[in-house]
Structures are given as structure tokens and as C-alpha cells.
């Protein structure tokens, strides 16, 4: 017996060791570093960094070609070796390489801004699941207390019925039915809480089976910690505004790169020949030379069509930019109004919940004393459950509105 007690104690300690409290602030910080989608965006930044480095190397370092091509007989007689080395040095390409390098820089900036936006997006998703889990947990707590009260009532009625008092069997069956209904509700609440917590674990990069206790949330303390909420400023300086501006910049470079194809390419090609194939035999040369040339590809108007296409895309980007900047400005104004409204609603709903909690305490006592019917008692329970659910919804909407509003400024 003692052995089983030790095992049980060990399991309790183990669960306690792996369980931790998790609140809103910890969730927001965790998303920044551990969310899988955020990590994907961070890798995208690294990919764009390599792309920029590659474009820079293409701009300043000429391609070098080391090659040898011989028939099989010469390879058998002479072996394999380098016959010639040459470098291709572009002198003028209409700015194609330079514009490509600058475009790569803008694409890197875009990836960096998108990485920030990914953090904001998944923070909002995590906060949503956090409040869902809190709501289901509170619903379960209320239903647990309801089940306790109904069990007491069932036991009392059953005792009176067995003592041949004037209690109809139907009264006991009604309470039993209410008990089963609340047990089913609690099973659903438990499953929903588990689903929300597991979704939150996935968003935070935790193992789905990790034992996490979600800390309760206090709306007023949260609002006090925020201080004064910023007013609407220039949306062009925000992360969203910058991404819209970068899209225009990238479209402008696409036009310039397309126009560069209208010009011929001038180049210098220094080379050094070590050996030369003369009548099927390799002869040592060891001489160098420099070639100067140009290249122009005629595509029967295809290049002009490409330029026009990129110009239209640039015009699209500019129209989208102006419209999206106005949309960001409008979102900021609307979010501020929503925050002000939700803050007032949350305070009023908090008071309503407190009143209904006190009312349920009184109704619990009255129900135990048979001063109210089961119907009236369950009505009080349902009012509190509905009020608690509405309160969590308001808190979730308020916090999300604040985060979304704050993210618009970043």
C-alpha cells in the first residue's frame, strides 16, 4: 500500500513540475520567438538576405568560366585538364544588374516587415484561443456548482420519497434529468477547453500534451497598464504602410529592369588559353587575349510589351497603395472607437456578473431551503453562465482590439 502511495505522490509532483502558469503577457512574448509560422517568416528574411548578397556579388564580381571539351581520343591520350579560362565583365547593361540589386534590397525589407506582421497576426490568434479556454473553464466551474446543488436537491427529495412523504416521483425524475443535462454540458465545456488549450499550445510552439494552467485575466488592470492610448497618426509610417510603400518600390524596379532589356549589353571578356586543339592534338599556347563586344536580343516587340505590362503593374501598385493607406487610417479610427466602447461595456458587464454571482449564492441557500423551485434556480444559473460568457467575449474583443490597434502603429 505504501508503494502505491509513493507512486501516486511521485505522479502528483511530476505533473506539478511540468505544469506552469500562462498569462496574456507570456503568450504575446512566446509568439514572437516560438510560433511556427513566425519562424517560417524569419527564415524567409534569411532567404532574402542571401538573395541580396547574391545580387551584390553578381553586380561586382565577374563570372569566371573554367572549361574543357575534347573528343574521347584526346582525353585518352592527353588526359583531362583545363584548356582555357575566361571572365565575362559587363560594362553596360542598361542598369539591369544595379536595379536587380536594389530590388533585392527592397524584397529583403518587405520580408522583414512581413515577419513583423506575422508576429502580430499570430498574437491575435493566440489571444483569441486564450480567452476561449478561460470562458469554457469558467462555464465548467459554474456548471460544477449547479451539479452539486442539484445532487443535494435530488438526495433530499429522494429521502423524503423513501420516507413516504408527499413527494411525487416525477419531481425526483425532473431533478435527475436536469443533472444529466448539466453533466452533458460540462463534458462539452471540458472538451472545448481542451481543444482551445491544445490549439494555443500549437500556436505557441509547445507540445500539445504540455500541462499548462491559464492565468485569469483582469480587464481593468490590463487597461491601466496600457496607459494613454495613442491617437491616430500618419499611417504611412506604420509597418503596414511601409509594406505598401515597398510594393510600389518593387514595382518601379520591375519597370526599370524591363526597360534595361531595350538596351544592348556591352562587355569585356579577358581570357587565357593554355592549350589549343590543332588537328586532333593539344598544342601548348599559354597566351592571353581581351575581347570587347556587345549583345542585343531582338524580340519583335516582346520587350516593349513587357515594359508596358510592368508599367500597368506599377500603376496598380500605386492605386492599391493610396487606397490601402486610407484603409489603414480608417481602421485606426474605427479601432479607437471600438476600444472606447468595449472598455465601457466590459466595466458594466463586470458589475452585472458580480450581481448575478451574489444572486446565485442567495438562490443556492433558498433552493436548499425549498424557497425556490428547480426551474427558478436553474434560471439564475443560466443567467450567470450567459453573463460570464458575455463578459469573456467582451474581454477578448477588448484585448484583441487594443492589440490590433497597437499593431497598426508598429
Amino acid at each position: 500500500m505504501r508503494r502505491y502511495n509513493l507512486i501516486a505522490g511521485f505522479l502528483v509532483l511530476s505533473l506539478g513540475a511540468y505544469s506552469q502558469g500562462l498569462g496574456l503577457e507570456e503568450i504575446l512574448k512566446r509568439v514572437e520567438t516560438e510560433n511556427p509560422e513566425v519562424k517560417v517568416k524569419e527564415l524567409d528574411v534569411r532567404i532574402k538576405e542571401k538573395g541580396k548578397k547574391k545580387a551584390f556579388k553578381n553586380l561586382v564580381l565577374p563570372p569566371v568560366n573554367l572549361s574543357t571539351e575534347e573528343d574521347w581520343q584526346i582525353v585518352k591520350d592527353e588526359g583531362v585538364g583545363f584548356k582555357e579560362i575566361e571572365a565575362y565583365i559587363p560594362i553596360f547593361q542598361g542598369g539591369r544588374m544595379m536595379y536587380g540589386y536594389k530590388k533585392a534590397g527592397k524584397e529583403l525589407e518587405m520580408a522583414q516587415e512581413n515577419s513583423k506582421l506575422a508576429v502580430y497576426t499570430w498574437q491575435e490568434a493566440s489571444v483569441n484561443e486564450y480567452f476561449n479556454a478561460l470562458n469554457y473553464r469558467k462555464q465548467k466551474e459554474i456548471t460544477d456548482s449547479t451539479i452539486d446543488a442539484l445532487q443535494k436537491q435530488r438526495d433530499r427529495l429522494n429521502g423524503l420519497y423513501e420516507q413516504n412523504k408527499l413527494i411525487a416521483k416525477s419531481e425526483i425524475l425532473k431533478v435527475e434529468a436536469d443533472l444529466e443535462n448539466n453533466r452533458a454540458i460540462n463534458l462539452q465545456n471540458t472538451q472545448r477547453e481542451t481543444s482551445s488549450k491544445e490549439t494555443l499550445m500549437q500556436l505557441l510552439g509547445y507540445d500539445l500534451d504540455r500541462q499548462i494552467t491559464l492565468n485569469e485575466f483582469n480587464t481593468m488592470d490590463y487597461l491601466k497598464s496600457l496607459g494613454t492610448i495613442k491617437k491616430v497618426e500618419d499611417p504611412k509610417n506604420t509597418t503596414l504602410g511601409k509594406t505598401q510603400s515597398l510594393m510600389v518600390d518593387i514595382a518601379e524596379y520591375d519597370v526599370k529592369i524591363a526597360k534595361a532589356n531595350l538596351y544592348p549589353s556591352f562587355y569585356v571578356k579577358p581570357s587565357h588559353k593554355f592549350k589549343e586543339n590543332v588537328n586532333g592534338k593539344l598544342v601548348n599556347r599559354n597566351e592571353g587575349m581581351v575581347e570587347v563586344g556587345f549583345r542585343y536580343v531582338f524580340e519583335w516587340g516582346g520587350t516593349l510589351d513587357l515594359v508596358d505590362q510592368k508599367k500597368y503593374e506599377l500603376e496598380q501598385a500605386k492605386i492599391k497603395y493610396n487606397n490601402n493607406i486610407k484603409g489603414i487610417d480608417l481602421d485606426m479610427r474605427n479601432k479607437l472607437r471600438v476600444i472606447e466602447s468595449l472598455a465601457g461595456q466590459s466595466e458594466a458587464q463586470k458589475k452585472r456578473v458580480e450581481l448575478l454571482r451574489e444572486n446565485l449564492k442567495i438562490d443556492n441557500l433558498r433552493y436548499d431551503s425549498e424557497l425556490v423551485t428547480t426551474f427558478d434556480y436553474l434560471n439564475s444559473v443560466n443567467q450567470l453562465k450567459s453573463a460570464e460568457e458575455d463578459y469573456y467575449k467582451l474581454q477578448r474583443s477588448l484585448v484583441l482590439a487594443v492589440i490590433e490597434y497597437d499593431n497598426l502603429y508598429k
Side-chain angles (χ1 to χ4, degrees), residues 174-406:
K174 289 177 184 177
V175 175
E176 287 281 4
D178 290 329
L179 262 172
E180 293 304 321
N181 180 55
N182 279 274
R183 288 185 181 120
I185 290 172
N186 245 7
L187 179 60
Q188 185 182 56
N189 286 330
T190 300
Q191 291 173 337
R192 287 178 173 177
E193 181 189 2
T194 301
S195 296
S196 292
K197 288 179 72 174
E198 288 179 349
T199 302
L200 181 59
M201 293 303 98
Q202 189 265 336
L203 292 173
L204 299 181
Y206 283 126
D207 185 271
L208 296 183
D209 294 323
R210 188 181 182 89
Q211 296 299 314
I212 292 290
T213 301
L214 297 181
N215 297 336
E216 195 53 71
F217 180 78
N218 188 299
T219 308
M220 294 303 112
D221 289 346
Y222 173 72
L223 290 177
K224 289 177 183 177
S225 69
L226 293 176
T228 304
I229 298 177
K230 302 173 185 177
K231 298 296 181 182
V232 176
E233 297 175 359
D234 190 354
K236 295 179 182 178
N237 298 327
T238 64
T239 301
L240 276 173
K242 291 176 183 176
T243 59
Q244 299 301 317
S245 178
L246 286 168
M247 290 174 67
V248 175
D249 293 340
I250 291 171
E252 287 177 343
Y253 282 123
D254 282 336
V255 173
K256 292 177 179 179
I257 292 170
K259 285 183 176 180
N261 293 323
L262 295 172
Y263 300 97
S265 298
F266 293 91
Y267 63 90
V268 174
K269 188 169 69 173
S271 62
H272 190 91
K273 188 174 291 185
F274 300 100
K275 294 182 179 182
E276 184 178 12
N277 187 340
V278 178
N279 298 324
K281 292 185 179 181
L282 291 181
V283 179
N284 291 330
R285 288 297 185 196
N286 199 26
E287 60 183 22
M289 63 180 296
V290 177
E291 298 178 36
V292 178
F294 77 94
R295 181 179 299 141
Y296 184 74
V297 179
F298 182 67
E299 296 187 353
W300 300 96
T303 302
L304 288 174
D305 291 336
L306 177 63
V307 171
D308 290 339
Q309 180 184 10
K310 295 303 177 182
K311 284 182 178 179
Y312 294 143
E313 291 176 1
L314 174 59
E315 190 64 26
Q316 279 183 331
K318 289 180 177 179
I319 294 172
K320 289 179 180 179
Y321 172 76
N322 292 325
N323 186 56
N324 289 338
I325 289 297
K326 291 178 183 178
I328 296 169
D329 194 0
L330 181 60
D331 283 345
M332 295 165 102
R333 295 170 186 268
N334 289 338
K335 280 287 186 298
L336 184 58
R337 298 186 187 104
V338 169
I339 290 170
E340 293 170 348
S341 173
L342 288 172
Q345 291 181 60
S346 294
E347 183 63 22
Q349 189 67 15
K350 179 184 177 184
K351 293 178 180 177
R352 182 168 182 265
V353 167
E354 290 172 350
L355 292 171
L356 289 173
R357 282 177 186 165
E358 187 64 28
N359 176 68
L360 185 58
K361 288 180 182 178
I362 295 171
D363 277 356
N364 263 323
L365 296 173
R366 297 176 67 196
Y367 188 52
D368 287 342
S369 303
E370 299 184 69
L371 297 176
V372 294
T373 64
T374 301
F375 176 82
D376 291 331
Y377 170 69
L378 291 178
N379 185 51
S380 295
V381 171
N382 289 332
Q383 282 185 340
L384 177 58
K385 288 169 66 176
S386 177
E388 288 278 13
E389 186 171 12
D390 289 342
Y391 183 47
Y392 275 107
K393 286 180 180 178
L394 283 170
Q395 288 184 103
R396 178 183 61 193
S397 299
L398 175 60
V399 174
L400 283 174
V402 171
I403 291 174
E404 290 167 1
Y405 182 77
D406 188 47

Side-chain angles (χ1 to χ4, degrees), residues 23-205:
L24 180 64
E25 186 176 351
E26 291 81 9
I27 289 172
L28 297 178
K29 288 181 179 178
R30 176 82 184 181
V31 170
E32 292 178 1
T33 57
E34 301 301 329
N35 177 268
E37 295 297 331
V38 170
K39 288 184 177 181
V40 168
K41 290 297 182 183
E42 289 173 351
L43 288 172
D44 192 40
V45 172
R46 295 186 184 181
I47 292 170
K48 297 302 182 184
E49 286 175 347
K50 290 295 182 181
K52 183 180 178 182
K53 289 180 180 178
K54 177 183 175 183
F56 179 74
K57 290 175 181 177
N58 290 339
L59 180 64
V60 299
L61 299 175
V64 177
N65 179 32
L66 293 170
S67 65
T68 179
E69 293 180 5
E70 299 296 346
D71 58 49
W72 177 241
Q73 187 60 45
I74 291 179
V75 171
K76 288 194 299 182
D77 295 340
E78 303 288 341
V80 178
F82 290 114
K83 188 176 66 170
E84 184 178 11
I85 180 173
E86 65 180 26
Y88 179 86
I89 304 175
I91 299 174
F92 176 76
Q93 291 184 312
R96 188 185 304 111
M97 301 292 286
M98 177 60 72
Y99 295 139
Y101 170 67
K102 291 183 177 181
K103 178 184 175 182
K106 294 297 180 181
E107 288 175 341
L108 172 58
E109 291 182 44
M110 174 73 81
Q112 291 168 337
E113 299 303 324
N114 284 335
S115 181
K116 296 176 187 176
L117 292 175
V119 172
Y120 308 155
T121 298
W122 295 108
Q123 280 180 336
E124 293 164 13
S126 299
V127 169
N128 184 60
E129 293 301 331
Y130 165 68
F131 278 104
N132 281 340
L134 289 181
N135 175 48
Y136 295 134
R137 184 175 72 184
K138 179 59 69 175
Q139 295 292 312
K140 184 175 180 297
E141 290 173 2
I142 296 171
T143 307
D144 279 339
S145 65
T146 305
I147 290 173
D148 290 340
L150 288 171
Q151 284 176 334
K152 291 179 182 178
Q153 179 72 345
R154 190 256 331 257
D155 294 342
R156 186 182 63 80
L157 292 175
N158 196 53
L160 291 174
Y161 178 77
E162 290 177 352
Q163 294 173 18
N164 296 321
K165 298 294 179 74
L166 296 176
I167 296 296
K169 181 69 174 180
S170 60
E171 294 297 319
I172 300 175
L173 295 176
K174 289 177 184 177
V175 175
E176 287 281 4
D178 290 329
L179 262 172
E180 293 304 321
N181 180 55
N182 279 274
R183 288 185 181 120
I185 290 172
N186 245 7
L187 179 60
Q188 185 182 56
N189 286 330
T190 300
Q191 291 173 337
R192 287 178 173 177
E193 181 189 2
T194 301
S195 296
S196 292
K197 288 179 72 174
E198 288 179 349
T199 302
L200 181 59
M201 293 303 98
Q202 189 265 336
L203 292 173
L204 299 181

